[in-house]
Amino acid sequence: MADQKYIFTSESVGEGHPDKLCDRVSDAIVDAYLNADPYARVAAECLATTGFLCIAGETRGPASIDRELIETVARHAVRDIGYKQEEFHWEKIKVDVRLHAQSADIAVGVDAAGNKDEGAGDQGIMFGYACRETESLMPAAIHYSHAILKSLAEARHSGALFKLGPDAKSQVSLEYINGKPVRATSVVVSTQHDASLSQDEVREMVRPHVQNILPEGWMCDESQFYVNPTGRFVIGGPDGDCGLTGRKIIVDTYGGAAPHGGGAFSGKDPTKVDRSAAYAARHAAKNIVAAGLADRCTIQVSYAIGVSHPISLYVNTHGTGKYSDDAIAQALQAVADFRPRAIRERLNLNKPIYARTAAYGHFGRTPEADGGFTWEKPDLVQALKDELGSKKYASAEGKVTELKR
């Protein structure tokens, strides 16, 4: 490991990217249902192309959420992103709503009844991850990729960069030495723009939003700073490429620095463990690292449809743990319940808090006063320390030690 060097890259896509637009529409629909009924069921998928949105899926909720309201919600989501283009305008697009009732076979497996607890909405594996590369305990490359695009979007919405369009992508490559990021080796930003702008003009618009995000001294060489490398990006959004909900799951999570179980988040209510259990796994991993139990942590949890208790829970601290991985896993299960209903109640997930998650990542965000991003709270830190300090658990070296509190 001495003097080990490597380069690791992660990408992000902006709120106006066709796939992200679809995620935003799907999550706005989830919010509309949960605002009317906190226990509504939603699985809403969106497809976007030139002048057209199609919304399909399964729901169970109040009759007040009708096709007309769904269409209005979708249009407002597109408007808020900023699409007023000739071929894709929030007022002029055609919206086809094809939502139907949730399958009774799924509902009977998920619903609590009698002595039966609420079951998982599907089988699957979910991962959570945290590390010390950034203050948010997220991998650095995805953290900076998100931040660059968020900065550009804020400037566009404020009017400071009104000649840039909603569609954008970023990619940051970082050099690591002995496991720690030390500088950017390349940065790629592609952003939709007005036809009147030259490539050099767009480059200088973008530059400060990269320099201000990267740590001091981290900016890559000028030859490795790529802005709109094709030379032109006027046609963008769904007019340029078809979009689909759930197609950017690596952007949504850890940028490839950690595994992803395969299930997308957007468009799903919190009974779907693809979403809620992935949030709970991130919450667990972040609290383990925040508690000083490890410098890096991966959590895996798995479920069977209709079954309340997880099939498995796995902890890997990648050789950085102060206690053995098994000890940390035992402590985690002692302080956190991973049954679907328990996750929803502990993280307060039955709220209309999901449209804001659709762009710039579901993780590494700041917890909000109205209940958004509760899974980012370091609120299990003391409980984990107390649990490990109150019982005899094996340390990473196999010795029985006591954690300093």
Side-chain angles (χ1 to χ4, degrees):
M1 291 293 290
D3 297 323
Q4 184 190 37
K5 293 183 181 181
Y6 58 90
I7 296 172
F8 187 83
T9 303
S10 293
E11 71 156 349
S12 180
V13 297
E15 61 192 35
H17 183 279
D19 296 329
K20 278 287 133 212
L21 179 143
C22 290
D23 287 344
R24 173 71 172 270
V25 169
S26 293
D27 276 336
I29 292 168
V30 173
D31 283 354
Y33 271 95
L34 294 180
N35 189 55
D37 177 2
Y39 300 100
R41 300 287 172 80
V42 187
E45 312 289 341
C46 179
L47 176 149
T49 188
T50 303
F52 179 73
L53 289 181
C54 179
I55 298 163
E58 305 79 45
T59 65
R60 188 179 77 188
S64 59
I65 311 297
D66 57 17
R67 289 175 181 267
E68 183 178 353
L69 179 60
I70 292 295
E71 179 176 338
T72 299
V73 167
R75 290 188 187 279
H76 287 179
V78 176
R79 178 199 63 190
D80 292 346
I81 291 170
Y83 275 109
K84 299 179 181 179
Q85 300 169 3
E86 182 177 349
E87 299 297 330
F88 198 83
H89 192 294
W90 69 274
E91 287 183 304
K92 300 174 183 177
I93 55 175
K94 180 182 177 182
V95 180
D96 188 8
V97 179
R98 298 296 182 98
L99 295 172
H100 61 82
Q102 183 189 48
S103 163
D105 289 348
I106 294 176
V108 74
V110 176
D111 291 344
N115 293 325
K116 176 186 174 297
D117 193 7
E118 179 181 301
D122 202 352
Q123 72 174 47
I125 56 174
M126 298 83 207
F127 286 92
Y129 182 74
C131 62
R132 294 198 176 279
E133 293 179 14
T134 60
E135 289 186 3
S136 62
L137 303 186
M138 284 288 288
I142 190 67
H143 173 85
Y144 296 125
S145 294
H146 285 324
I148 289 166
L149 292 184
K150 191 172 184 182
S151 179
L152 284 168
E154 289 170 351
R156 176 174 58 85
H157 284 299
S158 74
L161 293 180
F162 68 93
K163 286 193 174 184
L164 296 188
D167 196 355
K169 301 178 76 172
S170 65
Q171 183 172 284
V172 175
S173 299
L174 299 179
E175 180 181 21
Y176 282 71
I177 298 179
N178 297 331
K180 295 183 179 181
V182 296
R183 69 181 183 97
T185 59
S186 69
V187 175
V188 183
V189 179
S190 296
T191 178
Q192 188 181 10
H193 60 88
D194 188 87
S196 66
L197 294 176
S198 69
Q199 185 178 20
D200 287 341
E201 287 173 318
V202 176
R203 183 185 186 88
E204 293 314 307
M205 287 178 172
V206 168
R207 185 187 300 277
H209 295 274
V210 176
Q211 292 176 328
N212 293 339
I213 291 301
L214 293 176
E216 186 175 356
W218 278 37
M219 185 64 181
C220 62
D221 294 340
E222 187 67 15
S223 64
Q224 296 300 307
F225 178 42
Y226 301 97
V227 177
N228 286 3
T230 63
R232 181 179 169 88
F233 189 3
V234 174
I235 299 172
D239 187 32
D241 286 298
C242 181
L244 290 169
T245 300
R247 206 156 52 172
K248 288 289 179 284
I249 57 177
I250 301 304
V251 169
D252 286 342
T253 53
Y254 307 102
H260 183 94
F265 303 153
S266 291
K268 298 176 181 177
D269 74 77
T271 66
K272 278 69 172 177
V273 285
D274 276 341
R275 177 167 230 158
S276 56
Y279 290 175
R282 160 64 181 174
H283 183 237
K286 182 173 183 178
N287 274 268
I288 287 167
V289 174
L293 302 178
D295 292 331
R296 183 179 166 212
C297 182
T298 299
I299 304 284
Q300 185 204 60
V301 61
S302 69
Y303 293 87
I305 188 169
V307 179
S308 59
H309 286 279
I311 301 301
S312 65
L313 190 147
Y314 162 81
V315 174
N316 183 355
T317 59
H318 308 278
T320 70
K322 303 297 189 296
Y323 283 74
S324 69
D325 290 346
D326 181 61
I328 294 173
Q330 289 181 54
L332 176 61
Q333 292 176 85
V335 304
D337 191 336
F338 282 83
R339 290 176 297 171
R341 180 165 60 179
I343 290 171
R344 289 191 296 104
E345 292 174 351
R346 174 161 54 87
L347 298 180
N348 207 8
L349 298 180
N350 287 101
K351 287 187 171 185
I353 55 173
Y354 296 106
R356 70 193 73 171
T357 69
Y360 316 118
H362 293 245
F363 307 131
R365 309 286 288 273
T366 302
E368 298 174 344
D370 66 350
F373 303 104
T374 55
W375 49 93
E376 292 297 316
K377 291 182 177 180
D379 53 4
L380 292 181
V381 166
Q382 194 57 51
L384 285 164
K385 289 182 177 181
D386 289 345
E387 174 66 21
L388 284 161
S390 65
K391 296 180 181 178
K392 294 189 178 206
Y393 286 105
S395 72
E397 292 78 27
K399 300 176 181 177
V400 176
T401 60
E402 185 171 334
L403 185 72
K404 293 181 180 179
R405 285 179 266 173

